[in-house]
């Protein structure tokens, strides 16, 4: 495996070298970097032209400029990284760090959400092929996949930001609105779940009643402006998540794994009570990171203690349950600060920019501000990616479910959970792994339209500004980040192949 990895790294380095040369030549020949100055009427036009010519070294041969750029990139390995300067004399390394940080904030959350939701929906639609649920998800996937990104972004800004900000000032649903929402929810859920006519009617009636009661209660409590979740809510949702994870990974008949998950939920909730004063009064990113690592270690330890003959499964179950419980704790604290956040920022959902200028809130209000800034572009990228992931997963799962080894597993008496999770899903992941790897690398450099619509200064803006100015330094910095990301993700995909299918290791 080590030889394979080293061989791939060497080949990838050669590919990056050749591609960088091609991109550099194409960029410097894509236009005239002095065009704006030639058309200018300022008195010192010639002086400005001479300054830019000297700054970009336009009188030097292109291969000398490329070689100097390559030497600057090589200095990154010794701590003397030099990516050049822009036409305005701004250091490209600093711009790249800011742009990469902004883009990673945007695409990481969106990609992770798209992977989890898309693969889950793909598995469910494959299991329930040609059902109402399958048809509903298939229609939605094609709808979201075919939506023009700029148009969907405009709709999100109008209805999920502007109209929501107008509504949250009062924070109450009108009775007619509640009835309409309940009817729509009842119709959609009964169509998705399917079944006989009687079952559909019962489902619709139950959903209608639940939505009506919930929304009226939320109105009475002013929940939308002063939400509450509480320690009891954290415990209930954590226990439900633990049972769900156990049923998927080990099966609820595996009592050791189930008890380990329930213990993890209880310990996590009790720990929340113990650390609540620290989290509320003295929060910091370092503290959150440390507590998150501690939560994972304790959760895995609980799984090892309860595991017995199913130790590995129990550790996996408790590890996932611990992560979910930790996220629930953070969500509960954020919900508790929503009211104070509205007091500082009365229109919470932002439509442009990656941060609110001169925001004066405390730590948790700042976290909410960052979350509301990233919300709309994340939703947009997630919807587009979920559509493709769900389709690829469904196709791969259907192909795998028709294989002989799946039929053999069922004939041996394995439970449907074991057949789906251990046999079909693991083999179906191999082509999906390739898609995920290249999709993540592509989104890092390809969210140009999304960044433009929402005013994010990320890698897409860096590339576009450099190309418009015929400035090779920002374009090459863009290529460097996205190219390395593509190589690394491709390498991770190859390693994942070997982990998923032992035959590939040979």
């Amino acid at each position: 495996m080590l030889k394979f990895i080293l061989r791939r790294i060497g080949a990838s380095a050669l590919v990056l070298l050749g591609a960088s040369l091609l991109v550099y030549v194409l960029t410097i020949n894509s236009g005239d970097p002095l065009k704006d100055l030639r058309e200018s009427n300022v008195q010192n036009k010639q002086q400005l032209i001479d300054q830019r010519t000297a700054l970009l070294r336009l009188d030097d041969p292109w291969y000398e400029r490329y070689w100097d750029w390559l030497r600057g990139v090589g200095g990154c390995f010794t701590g003397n990284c030099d990516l050049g300067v822009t036409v305005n004399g701004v250091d490209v390394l600093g711009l790249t760090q800011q742009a990469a940080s902004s883009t990673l904030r945007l695409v990481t959350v969106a990609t992770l959400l798209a992977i989890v939701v898309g693969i889950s929906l793909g598995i469910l639609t494959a299991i329930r092929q040609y059902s109402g649920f399958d048809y509903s998800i298939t229609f939605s996937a094609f709808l979201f996949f075919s939506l023009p990104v700029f148009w969907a972004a405009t709709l999100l800004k109008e209805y999920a930001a502007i109209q929501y900000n107008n509504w949250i000032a009062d924070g109450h649903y009108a009775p007619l609105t509640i009835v309409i929402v309940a009817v729509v929810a009842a119709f959609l859920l009964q169509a998705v779940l399917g079944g006989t006519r009687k079952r559909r009617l019962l489902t619709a009636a139950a959903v209608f009643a639940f939505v009506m009661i919930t929304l009226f209660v939320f109105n009475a409590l002013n929940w939308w402006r002063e939400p509450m979740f509480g320690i009891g809510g954290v415990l209930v949702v954590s226990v439900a998540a633990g049972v769900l994870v156990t049923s998927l990974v080990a099966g609820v008949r595996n009592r050791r794994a189930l008890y380990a998950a329930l213990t993890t939920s209880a310990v996590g909730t009790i720990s929340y009570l113990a650390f609540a004063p620290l989290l509320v009064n003295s929060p910091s990113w370092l503290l959150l990171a440390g507590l998150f690592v501690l939560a994972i270690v304790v959760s895995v330890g609980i799984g090892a203690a309860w595991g017995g003959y199913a130790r590995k499964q129990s550790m996996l179950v408790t590890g996932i349950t611990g992560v979910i419980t930790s996220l629930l704790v953070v969500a509960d604290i954020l919900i508790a600060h929503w009211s104070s956040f509205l007091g500082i920022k009365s229109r919470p959902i932002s439509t442009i920019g990656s941060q609110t200028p001169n925001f004066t809130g405390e730590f948790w209000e700042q976290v909410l501000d960052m979350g509301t800034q990233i919300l709309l572009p994340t939703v947009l990228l997630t919807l587009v990616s979920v559509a493709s992931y769900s389709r690829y997963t469904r196709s791969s799962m259907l192909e795998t479910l028709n294989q002989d080894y799946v039929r053999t597993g069922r004939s041996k008496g394995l439970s449907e959970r074991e057949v789906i999770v251990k046999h079909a899903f693991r083999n179906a992941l191999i082509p999906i792994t390739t898609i995920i790897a290249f999709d993540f690398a592509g989104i890092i450099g390809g969210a140009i339209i999304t960044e433009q619509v929402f005013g994010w200064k990320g890698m897409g803006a860096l590339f576009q500004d450099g190309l418009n100015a015929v400035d090779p330094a920002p374009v090459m910095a863009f290529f460097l980040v996205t190219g390395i990301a593509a190589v690394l993700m491709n390498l991770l995909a190859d390693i994942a192949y070997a982990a998923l299918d032992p035959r590939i290791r040979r």
Side-chain angles (χ1 to χ4, degrees):
M1 177 62 76
L2 181 59
K3 288 183 178 179
F4 169 76
I5 293 175
L6 293 176
R7 189 164 57 248
R8 289 302 302 269
I9 291 176
S12 300
L14 293 177
V15 170
L16 285 175
L17 181 62
S20 68
L21 177 61
L22 179 62
V23 171
Y24 192 90
V25 172
L26 290 175
T27 301
I28 62 176
N29 289 283
S30 63
D32 182 8
L34 303 176
K35 180 180 179 180
D36 60 322
L37 296 180
R38 297 185 199 278
E39 297 173 350
S40 175
N41 294 321
V42 296
Q43 295 180 352
N44 60 338
K45 180 173 70 172
Q46 187 58 46
Q47 181 182 358
L48 294 175
I49 291 176
D50 293 340
Q51 288 178 353
R52 184 174 295 182
T53 300
L55 183 67
L56 298 181
R57 298 176 57 192
L58 298 180
D59 292 333
D60 294 340
W62 66 268
Y63 50 84
E64 289 187 9
R65 287 182 279 157
Y66 172 74
W67 174 249
D68 287 341
W69 175 83
L70 203 60
R71 288 174 56 191
V73 173
C76 296
F77 296 99
T78 60
N80 298 315
C81 198
D82 181 14
L83 301 183
V85 295
T86 67
V87 293
N88 299 317
V90 181
D91 182 43
V92 173
L93 179 60
L95 290 178
T96 305
Q97 291 173 341
Q98 295 175 5
S101 173
S102 180
T103 297
L104 283 175
R105 280 175 53 199
L106 180 62
V107 304
T108 301
V109 178
T111 304
L112 291 177
L113 285 175
I115 291 171
V116 174
V117 176
I119 291 179
S120 301
L121 291 177
I123 294 172
L124 293 175
T125 52
I127 295 173
R128 301 185 58 188
Q129 186 182 16
Y130 303 134
S131 64
F133 179 77
D134 184 22
Y135 287 130
S136 301
I137 298 301
T138 299
F139 172 77
S140 301
F142 282 118
L143 176 65
F144 291 132
F145 188 76
S146 59
L147 281 178
V149 173
F150 64 90
W151 185 68
T154 303
L155 290 180
L156 279 175
K157 291 176 72 170
E158 173 63 26
Y159 295 103
I162 297 174
Q163 296 299 329
Y164 173 82
N165 289 335
N166 293 336
W167 171 81
I168 196 64
D170 178 60
H172 280 76
Y173 282 114
L176 180 59
T177 304
I178 293 178
V179 173
I180 294 174
V181 171
V183 170
V184 172
F187 174 77
L188 292 178
L189 200 58
Q190 64 84 25
V192 168
L193 295 179
T196 62
R197 180 176 298 180
K198 180 180 179 181
R199 180 180 174 181
R200 287 174 179 267
L201 289 174
L202 290 174
T203 301
V207 172
F208 178 81
F210 176 78
V211 173
M212 286 277 291
I213 294 172
T214 301
L215 292 182
F216 273 115
V217 170
F218 280 3
N219 271 353
L221 297 176
N222 195 25
W223 196 89
W224 305 109
R225 289 190 59 87
E226 299 177 0
M228 63 191 80
F229 195 51
I231 195 73
V234 172
L235 179 60
V236 170
V237 178
S238 177
V239 168
V243 173
L244 178 61
V245 172
T246 304
S247 64
L248 293 175
V249 176
V252 292
R253 293 183 179 180
N254 188 332
R255 297 302 181 187
R256 287 186 173 273
L258 179 61
Y259 295 155
L262 296 178
T263 303
T264 302
S265 299
V267 171
T269 306
I270 295 172
S271 300
Y272 179 23
L273 289 173
F275 288 104
L278 189 61
L279 289 170
V280 173
N281 299 325
S282 304
S284 67
W285 289 112
L286 183 60
L287 174 64
L288 288 178
L291 291 178
F292 183 71
V293 173
L294 179 62
I296 294 177
V297 172
V298 172
S299 301
V300 173
I302 292 173
W306 269 107
Y309 64 90
R311 178 168 296 174
K312 289 185 178 181
Q313 286 185 328
S314 298
M315 292 170 66
L316 179 60
V317 167
T318 54
I320 298 175
T321 305
V323 170
I324 295 174
T325 305
S326 301
L327 296 178
L328 288 172
V329 168
V330 174
D332 182 48
I333 298 175
L334 289 175
I335 288 173
H337 286 80
W338 177 253
S339 178
S340 61
F341 175 66
L342 288 179
I344 301 172
K345 189 178 179 183
S346 59
R347 300 183 66 82
I349 307 300
S350 302
T351 59
I352 192 167
S354 57
Q355 60 184 4
T356 302
N358 303 319
F359 188 76
T360 58
E362 299 295 334
F363 177 84
W364 292 111
E365 284 81 8
Q366 291 179 5
V367 174
L368 283 170
D369 179 58
M370 288 189 293
T372 53
Q373 292 282 354
I374 203 175
L375 178 63
L376 295 186
T378 298
V379 169
L380 179 62
L381 292 176
T382 301
L383 287 178
V384 174
S385 298
V386 161
S388 59
Y389 286 147
S390 63
R391 293 300 84 202
Y392 284 123
T393 304
R394 180 182 183 274
S395 176
S396 185
M397 280 292 294
L398 288 176
E399 181 180 356
T400 305
L401 287 171
N402 291 323
Q403 298 297 318
D404 291 338
Y405 58 82
V406 173
R407 286 192 289 268
T408 302
R410 286 189 174 125
S411 65
K412 289 168 61 178
L414 296 178
S415 65
E416 190 66 13
R417 181 198 63 80
E418 292 179 300
V419 171
I420 297 298
V421 176
K422 292 185 177 181
H423 297 277
F425 178 55
R426 179 168 181 172
N427 288 278
L429 269 179
I430 294 177
I432 300 170
T433 302
T434 304
I435 299 166
I436 293 173
F438 284 101
D439 188 55
F440 183 80
I443 286 180
I444 288 178
I448 297 177
I449 297 177
T450 304
E451 290 180 2
Q452 271 195 319
V453 174
F454 292 104
W456 278 66
K457 291 297 183 180
M459 296 301 298
L462 182 72
F463 171 78
Q464 189 175 30
D465 293 343
L467 198 60
N468 290 338
V470 197
D471 185 1
V475 176
M476 296 306 294
F478 169 86
F479 165 80
L480 191 64
V481 173
T482 55
I484 292 176
V487 168
L488 288 178
M489 295 308 296
N490 191 22
L491 182 61
L492 290 176
D494 291 337
I495 296 174
Y497 294 157
L500 292 170
D501 189 348
R503 295 173 297 179
I504 297 178
R505 301 172 193 172
R506 305 189 184 96

